[in-house]
Amino acid sequence: MDWTWFHKFGSPPHVYRLAGVLTPWFAWPAALLILGALYGGLVLAPPDYQQGDGFRIIYVHAPSAWLAVMIYAVMATAAGVGLIWRMKVAHAVAASCAGVGAWFTVVSLLTGMLWGKPMWGTYWVWDPRLTAQLILLFLYLGFMGLRASIDDLSRADRASAVLALVGVVNLPIIRYSVEWWNSIHQAPSVMKMDRPSMPFDMLAPLLAMLLGFTLYFGAVLLIRLRAEILRRERNASWIREELT
Amino acid sequence: MSDFFSMGGYALFLWPAYAVTLLAIVVNVYTARRDLQSARMEARRRLSAGSPGDPGRGQS
């Protein structure tokens, strides 16, 4: 098998340039999908027969919760690749993920609380799903705090990568918490084995929003990754060519 | 139109949820771009100063 592609992804100047080229290809479709989904979700979709218009919080809550978990998976995978193959670019990816992931974990918790109050009668319960999501936030904050507390960059990379990998245990707990325990949180309505339990005009904006948020994260990650690479490669000669 | 904003009585919960999500989207783009810009400026400054900069972080 030809491994040159793999080595190319280990080359900072290559990744820096590629990230710059790819950013608009993520950003524009993301913007269009999110705006379209906003219209579909707030205007076109019919109110839910039980939750009325309140259910529309799903169009910001579910994509945020998805991002929170997906970004952690990307971060941990990158950290693992960095740890095993000693690939600095992979560590740079992991470092670029954490802040965005933490933000969207907070958004998923806040939008969940705002949905919980009118539907369950309370902003917060120590429910398995909610608690696991809160732990996810602490994992992100721990990852960032650990990195910030170690001066030597390669040590910070390795230590935070170990933390990220240990935290992966939390992901299946978040995913299956609503099935393993009697959670107050409703079961998944889209990602299930049989067909989704939603009519099309409710479902389509949700799917568009999920894809839009995912591409949005791709764009933000690429921008942050370039900044991270520039800082790490501060003395490399390719930066001179790149910036002049 | 006011029907739309009242959201069937859920306005008090729905609009803050959308607002906080919008805030996260905007802030993350803004900080990422600002971060890249400052990293570029820092690199340019070092280049024009003509010094190789301090060796250390990331050069192992």
Side-chain angles (χ1 to χ4, degrees):
Chain A
M1 194 176 159
D2 183 12
W3 284 95
T4 47
W5 63 270
F6 189 73
H7 291 294
K8 268 192 159 179
F9 280 106
S11 145
H14 176 74
V15 172
Y16 180 86
R17 286 180 202 122
L18 186 66
V21 172
L22 287 179
T23 304
W25 293 93
F26 283 82
W28 287 109
L32 291 176
L33 279 165
I34 291 172
L35 286 174
L38 215 49
Y39 184 71
L42 288 175
V43 180
L44 298 182
D48 183 68
Y49 80 105
Q50 275 185 326
Q51 303 190 3
D53 285 318
F55 100 94
R56 296 182 204 277
I57 292 175
I58 200 175
Y59 298 115
V60 288
H61 175 67
S64 310
W66 154 249
L67 269 199
V69 170
M70 194 268 293
I71 293 174
Y72 196 93
V74 172
M75 182 176 94
T77 307
V81 169
L83 210 52
I84 294 166
W85 285 290
R86 294 181 170 276
M87 204 189 244
K88 280 189 281 180
V89 173
H91 284 301
V93 171
S96 309
C97 284
V100 197
W103 258 96
F104 281 93
T105 310
V106 170
V107 170
S108 74
L109 288 167
L110 288 176
T111 54
M113 290 167 92
L114 288 163
W115 200 357
K117 184 62 181 170
M119 300 307 165
W120 305 334
T122 176
Y123 284 111
W124 184 265
V125 274
W126 291 99
D127 167 273
R129 168 61 71 82
L130 278 62
T131 308
Q133 191 75 359
L134 187 63
I135 291 171
L136 182 68
L137 176 61
F138 294 148
L139 284 168
Y140 277 124
L141 296 180
F143 180 91
M144 292 190 288
L146 187 58
R147 294 191 63 85
S149 69
I150 303 175
D151 275 334
D152 179 66
L153 186 60
S154 58
R155 276 191 58 221
D157 280 344
R158 274 178 276 135
S160 61
V162 171
L163 175 69
L165 288 172
V166 171
V168 168
V169 184
N170 193 41
L171 296 188
I173 296 180
I174 295 176
R175 175 67 179 80
Y176 294 106
S177 52
V178 291
E179 290 165 29
W180 291 343
W181 296 285
N182 276 319
S183 175
I184 190 174
H185 194 285
Q186 65 192 55
S189 10
V190 181
M191 291 175 192
K192 2 188 264 180
M193 288 317 230
D194 49 348
R195 56 189 210 85
S197 47
M198 257 189 203
F200 178 78
D201 39 4
M202 265 184 188
L203 182 65
L206 184 55
L207 295 177
M209 210 55 123
L210 288 166
L211 184 59
F213 269 56
T214 306
L215 293 173
Y216 162 84
F217 164 64
V220 171
L221 174 63
L222 290 169
I223 300 171
R224 292 180 61 116
L225 179 59
R226 295 179 84 199
E228 183 75 24
I229 289 176
L230 273 186
R231 292 225 172 77
R232 285 168 178 250
E233 298 285 303
R234 46 184 10 190
N235 299 324
S237 53
W238 64 267
I239 291 182
R240 183 175 293 276
E241 299 161 36
E242 197 61 44
L243 293 179
T244 46
Chain B
M1 203 59 187
S2 71
D3 262 6
F4 176 74
F5 286 110
S6 73
M7 277 290 156
Y10 289 104
L12 209 59
F13 304 101
L14 188 136
W15 294 120
Y18 275 74
V20 74
T21 310
L22 180 70
L23 179 75
I25 289 176
V26 171
V27 165
N28 276 289
V29 170
Y30 173 77
T31 52
R33 293 178 61 136
R34 194 193 52 190
D35 212 32
L36 177 56
Q37 227 151 25
S38 76
R40 273 205 193 110
M41 257 153 59
E42 199 190 317
R44 278 214 187 86
R45 225 178 4 250
R46 204 178 301 106
L47 287 174
S48 63
S51 73
D54 61 307
R57 288 173 76 98
Q59 292 305 303
S60 55

PDB file of all heavy atoms in Angstrom, chain B residues 18-38:
ATOM      1  N   TYR B  18     -32.114  29.504  20.929  1.00  0.00           N
ATOM      2  CA  TYR B  18     -31.557  29.858  19.616  1.00  0.00           C
ATOM      3  C   TYR B  18     -30.466  30.917  19.757  1.00  0.00           C
ATOM      4  O   TYR B  18     -29.465  30.892  19.056  1.00  0.00           O
ATOM      5  CB  TYR B  18     -32.675  30.337  18.668  1.00  0.00           C
ATOM      6  CG  TYR B  18     -33.360  29.182  17.963  1.00  0.00           C
ATOM      7  CD1 TYR B  18     -34.247  28.359  18.647  1.00  0.00           C
ATOM      8  CD2 TYR B  18     -33.079  28.894  16.629  1.00  0.00           C
ATOM      9  CE1 TYR B  18     -34.857  27.277  18.020  1.00  0.00           C
ATOM     10  CE2 TYR B  18     -33.690  27.814  15.996  1.00  0.00           C
ATOM     11  CZ  TYR B  18     -34.577  27.018  16.693  1.00  0.00           C
ATOM     12  OH  TYR B  18     -35.159  25.945  16.064  1.00  0.00           O
ATOM     13  N   ALA B  19     -30.679  31.865  20.692  1.00  0.00           N
ATOM     14  CA  ALA B  19     -29.702  32.944  20.863  1.00  0.00           C
ATOM     15  C   ALA B  19     -28.357  32.404  21.343  1.00  0.00           C
ATOM     16  O   ALA B  19     -27.299  32.787  20.838  1.00  0.00           O
ATOM     17  CB  ALA B  19     -30.238  33.982  21.848  1.00  0.00           C
ATOM     18  N   VAL B  20     -28.379  31.491  22.299  1.00  0.00           N
ATOM     19  CA  VAL B  20     -27.126  30.983  22.843  1.00  0.00           C
ATOM     20  C   VAL B  20     -26.392  30.145  21.782  1.00  0.00           C
ATOM     21  O   VAL B  20     -25.164  30.169  21.699  1.00  0.00           O
ATOM     22  CB  VAL B  20     -27.373  30.205  24.161  1.00  0.00           C
ATOM     23  CG1 VAL B  20     -28.003  28.855  23.925  1.00  0.00           C
ATOM     24  CG2 VAL B  20     -26.076  30.025  24.920  1.00  0.00           C
ATOM     25  N   THR B  21     -27.149  29.462  20.932  1.00  0.00           N
ATOM     26  CA  THR B  21     -26.523  28.685  19.857  1.00  0.00           C
ATOM     27  C   THR B  21     -25.875  29.616  18.838  1.00  0.00           C
ATOM     28  O   THR B  21     -24.732  29.384  18.412  1.00  0.00           O
ATOM     29  CB  THR B  21     -27.568  27.796  19.164  1.00  0.00           C
ATOM     30  OG1 THR B  21     -28.285  27.078  20.158  1.00  0.00           O
ATOM     31  CG2 THR B  21     -26.901  26.824  18.211  1.00  0.00           C
ATOM     32  N   LEU B  22     -26.620  30.676  18.464  1.00  0.00           N
ATOM     33  CA  LEU B  22     -26.075  31.656  17.522  1.00  0.00           C
ATOM     34  C   LEU B  22     -24.808  32.287  18.074  1.00  0.00           C
ATOM     35  O   LEU B  22     -23.801  32.448  17.363  1.00  0.00           O
ATOM     36  CB  LEU B  22     -27.131  32.737  17.236  1.00  0.00           C
ATOM     37  CG  LEU B  22     -26.687  33.831  16.258  1.00  0.00           C
ATOM     38  CD1 LEU B  22     -26.578  33.261  14.856  1.00  0.00           C
ATOM     39  CD2 LEU B  22     -27.664  35.009  16.269  1.00  0.00           C
ATOM     40  N   LEU B  23     -24.836  32.602  19.372  1.00  0.00           N
ATOM     41  CA  LEU B  23     -23.673  33.202  20.023  1.00  0.00           C
ATOM     42  C   LEU B  23     -22.459  32.277  19.881  1.00  0.00           C
ATOM     43  O   LEU B  23     -21.372  32.719  19.508  1.00  0.00           O
ATOM     44  CB  LEU B  23     -23.979  33.454  21.505  1.00  0.00           C
ATOM     45  CG  LEU B  23     -22.834  34.062  22.309  1.00  0.00           C
ATOM     46  CD1 LEU B  23     -22.679  35.539  21.974  1.00  0.00           C
ATOM     47  CD2 LEU B  23     -23.053  33.890  23.811  1.00  0.00           C
ATOM     48  N   ALA B  24     -22.662  30.988  20.141  1.00  0.00           N
ATOM     49  CA  ALA B  24     -21.550  30.021  20.051  1.00  0.00           C
ATOM     50  C   ALA B  24     -21.008  29.965  18.632  1.00  0.00           C
ATOM     51  O   ALA B  24     -19.795  29.935  18.415  1.00  0.00           O
ATOM     52  CB  ALA B  24     -22.020  28.642  20.502  1.00  0.00           C
ATOM     53  N   ILE B  25     -21.905  29.968  17.646  1.00  0.00           N
ATOM     54  CA  ILE B  25     -21.481  29.893  16.247  1.00  0.00           C
ATOM     55  C   ILE B  25     -20.633  31.115  15.888  1.00  0.00           C
ATOM     56  O   ILE B  25     -19.554  30.989  15.309  1.00  0.00           O
ATOM     57  CB  ILE B  25     -22.720  29.783  15.317  1.00  0.00           C
ATOM     58  CG1 ILE B  25     -23.350  28.397  15.478  1.00  0.00           C
ATOM     59  CG2 ILE B  25     -22.345  30.042  13.876  1.00  0.00           C
ATOM     60  CD1 ILE B  25     -24.627  28.204  14.699  1.00  0.00           C
ATOM     61  N   VAL B  26     -21.128  32.300  16.258  1.00  0.00           N
ATOM     62  CA  VAL B  26     -20.427  33.539  15.910  1.00  0.00           C
ATOM     63  C   VAL B  26     -19.092  33.641  16.656  1.00  0.00           C
ATOM     64  O   VAL B  26     -18.048  33.921  16.068  1.00  0.00           O
ATOM     65  CB  VAL B  26     -21.326  34.761  16.208  1.00  0.00           C
ATOM     66  CG1 VAL B  26     -20.541  36.053  16.054  1.00  0.00           C
ATOM     67  CG2 VAL B  26     -22.533  34.761  15.279  1.00  0.00           C
ATOM     68  N   VAL B  27     -19.123  33.391  17.964  1.00  0.00           N
ATOM     69  CA  VAL B  27     -17.908  33.543  18.771  1.00  0.00           C
ATOM     70  C   VAL B  27     -16.799  32.597  18.279  1.00  0.00           C
ATOM     71  O   VAL B  27     -15.637  33.003  18.192  1.00  0.00           O
ATOM     72  CB  VAL B  27     -18.210  33.279  20.268  1.00  0.00           C
ATOM     73  CG1 VAL B  27     -16.923  33.071  21.057  1.00  0.00           C
ATOM     74  CG2 VAL B  27     -18.993  34.436  20.853  1.00  0.00           C
ATOM     75  N   ASN B  28     -17.156  31.370  17.938  1.00  0.00           N
ATOM     76  CA  ASN B  28     -16.117  30.419  17.528  1.00  0.00           C
ATOM     77  C   ASN B  28     -15.482  30.772  16.191  1.00  0.00           C
ATOM     78  O   ASN B  28     -14.288  30.570  16.003  1.00  0.00           O
ATOM     79  CB  ASN B  28     -16.677  28.994  17.508  1.00  0.00           C
ATOM     80  CG  ASN B  28     -16.620  28.366  18.880  1.00  0.00           C
ATOM     81  OD1 ASN B  28     -15.559  28.041  19.389  1.00  0.00           O
ATOM     82  ND2 ASN B  28     -17.777  28.232  19.513  1.00  0.00           N
ATOM     83  N   VAL B  29     -16.272  31.323  15.278  1.00  0.00           N
ATOM     84  CA  VAL B  29     -15.684  31.786  14.016  1.00  0.00           C
ATOM     85  C   VAL B  29     -14.792  32.995  14.278  1.00  0.00           C
ATOM     86  O   VAL B  29     -13.650  33.072  13.813  1.00  0.00           O
ATOM     87  CB  VAL B  29     -16.779  32.166  12.991  1.00  0.00           C
ATOM     88  CG1 VAL B  29     -16.166  32.858  11.789  1.00  0.00           C
ATOM     89  CG2 VAL B  29     -17.516  30.927  12.540  1.00  0.00           C
ATOM     90  N   TYR B  30     -15.322  33.919  15.092  1.00  0.00           N
ATOM     91  CA  TYR B  30     -14.572  35.143  15.373  1.00  0.00           C
ATOM     92  C   TYR B  30     -13.232  34.836  16.040  1.00  0.00           C
ATOM     93  O   TYR B  30     -12.187  35.306  15.588  1.00  0.00           O
ATOM     94  CB  TYR B  30     -15.418  36.065  16.258  1.00  0.00           C
ATOM     95  CG  TYR B  30     -14.659  37.283  16.737  1.00  0.00           C
ATOM     96  CD1 TYR B  30     -14.426  38.352  15.878  1.00  0.00           C
ATOM     97  CD2 TYR B  30     -14.155  37.338  18.031  1.00  0.00           C
ATOM     98  CE1 TYR B  30     -13.712  39.451  16.306  1.00  0.00           C
ATOM     99  CE2 TYR B  30     -13.438  38.431  18.468  1.00  0.00           C
ATOM    100  CZ  TYR B  30     -13.220  39.490  17.600  1.00  0.00           C
ATOM    101  OH  TYR B  30     -12.505  40.569  18.019  1.00  0.00           O
ATOM    102  N   THR B  31     -13.242  34.020  17.096  1.00  0.00           N
ATOM    103  CA  THR B  31     -11.989  33.749  17.814  1.00  0.00           C
ATOM    104  C   THR B  31     -11.016  32.959  16.942  1.00  0.00           C
ATOM    105  O   THR B  31      -9.810  33.204  16.996  1.00  0.00           O
ATOM    106  CB  THR B  31     -12.222  32.996  19.133  1.00  0.00           C
ATOM    107  OG1 THR B  31     -13.002  31.842  18.867  1.00  0.00           O
ATOM    108  CG2 THR B  31     -12.928  33.854  20.147  1.00  0.00           C
ATOM    109  N   ALA B  32     -11.527  32.039  16.128  1.00  0.00           N
ATOM    110  CA  ALA B  32     -10.639  31.257  15.265  1.00  0.00           C
ATOM    111  C   ALA B  32      -9.926  32.170  14.275  1.00  0.00           C
ATOM    112  O   ALA B  32      -8.713  32.078  14.078  1.00  0.00           O
ATOM    113  CB  ALA B  32     -11.428  30.168  14.530  1.00  0.00           C
ATOM    114  N   ARG B  33     -10.683  33.088  13.668  1.00  0.00           N
ATOM    115  CA  ARG B  33     -10.080  33.987  12.678  1.00  0.00           C
ATOM    116  C   ARG B  33      -9.102  34.954  13.318  1.00  0.00           C
ATOM    117  O   ARG B  33      -8.033  35.238  12.779  1.00  0.00           O
ATOM    118  CB  ARG B  33     -11.175  34.754  11.926  1.00  0.00           C
ATOM    119  CG  ARG B  33     -12.007  33.831  11.059  1.00  0.00           C
ATOM    120  CD  ARG B  33     -13.101  34.591  10.373  1.00  0.00           C
ATOM    121  NE  ARG B  33     -12.557  35.618   9.515  1.00  0.00           N
ATOM    122  CZ  ARG B  33     -12.975  35.870   8.293  1.00  0.00           C
ATOM    123  NH1 ARG B  33     -13.943  35.153   7.784  1.00  0.00           N
ATOM    124  NH2 ARG B  33     -12.445  36.814   7.589  1.00  0.00           N
ATOM    125  N   ARG B  34      -9.477  35.473  14.502  1.00  0.00           N
ATOM    126  CA  ARG B  34      -8.598  36.392  15.210  1.00  0.00           C
ATOM    127  C   ARG B  34      -7.290  35.685  15.593  1.00  0.00           C
ATOM    128  O   ARG B  34      -6.199  36.235  15.479  1.00  0.00           O
ATOM    129  CB  ARG B  34      -9.309  36.878  16.479  1.00  0.00           C
ATOM    130  CG  ARG B  34      -8.647  38.073  17.131  1.00  0.00           C
ATOM    131  CD  ARG B  34      -9.210  38.284  18.508  1.00  0.00           C
ATOM    132  NE  ARG B  34      -9.147  37.056  19.283  1.00  0.00           N
ATOM    133  CZ  ARG B  34      -9.726  36.869  20.466  1.00  0.00           C
ATOM    134  NH1 ARG B  34     -10.443  37.830  20.995  1.00  0.00           N
ATOM    135  NH2 ARG B  34      -9.607  35.730  21.098  1.00  0.00           N
ATOM    136  N   ASP B  35      -7.433  34.422  16.003  1.00  0.00           N
ATOM    137  CA  ASP B  35      -6.294  33.604  16.391  1.00  0.00           C
ATOM    138  C   ASP B  35      -5.322  33.413  15.222  1.00  0.00           C
ATOM    139  O   ASP B  35      -4.108  33.561  15.365  1.00  0.00           O
ATOM    140  CB  ASP B  35      -6.829  32.238  16.816  1.00  0.00           C
ATOM    141  CG  ASP B  35      -5.983  31.627  17.903  1.00  0.00           C
ATOM    142  OD1 ASP B  35      -5.435  32.393  18.702  1.00  0.00           O
ATOM    143  OD2 ASP B  35      -5.879  30.391  17.931  1.00  0.00           O
ATOM    144  N   LEU B  36      -5.889  33.109  14.058  1.00  0.00           N
ATOM    145  CA  LEU B  36      -5.055  32.900  12.874  1.00  0.00           C
ATOM    146  C   LEU B  36      -4.354  34.190  12.475  1.00  0.00           C
ATOM    147  O   LEU B  36      -3.163  34.198  12.135  1.00  0.00           O
ATOM    148  CB  LEU B  36      -5.908  32.371  11.716  1.00  0.00           C
ATOM    149  CG  LEU B  36      -5.201  32.154  10.374  1.00  0.00           C
ATOM    150  CD1 LEU B  36      -4.004  31.224  10.536  1.00  0.00           C
ATOM    151  CD2 LEU B  36      -6.165  31.591   9.345  1.00  0.00           C
ATOM    152  N   GLN B  37      -5.102  35.290  12.556  1.00  0.00           N
ATOM    153  CA  GLN B  37      -4.525  36.584  12.193  1.00  0.00           C
ATOM    154  C   GLN B  37      -3.356  36.938  13.113  1.00  0.00           C
ATOM    155  O   GLN B  37      -2.304  37.388  12.652  1.00  0.00           O
ATOM    156  CB  GLN B  37      -5.593  37.668  12.297  1.00  0.00           C
ATOM    157  CG  GLN B  37      -5.630  38.579  11.089  1.00  0.00           C
ATOM    158  CD  GLN B  37      -7.027  39.110  10.870  1.00  0.00           C
ATOM    159  OE1 GLN B  37      -7.816  39.181  11.814  1.00  0.00           O
ATOM    160  NE2 GLN B  37      -7.350  39.477   9.641  1.00  0.00           N
ATOM    161  N   SER B  38      -3.538  36.729  14.406  1.00  0.00           N
ATOM    162  CA  SER B  38      -2.470  37.096  15.330  1.00  0.00           C
ATOM    163  C   SER B  38      -1.279  36.148  15.174  1.00  0.00           C
ATOM    164  O   SER B  38      -0.131  36.579  15.304  1.00  0.00           O
ATOM    165  CB  SER B  38      -2.980  37.132  16.776  1.00  0.00           C
ATOM    166  OG  SER B  38      -3.129  35.838  17.286  1.00  0.00           O
TER     167      SER B  38
END
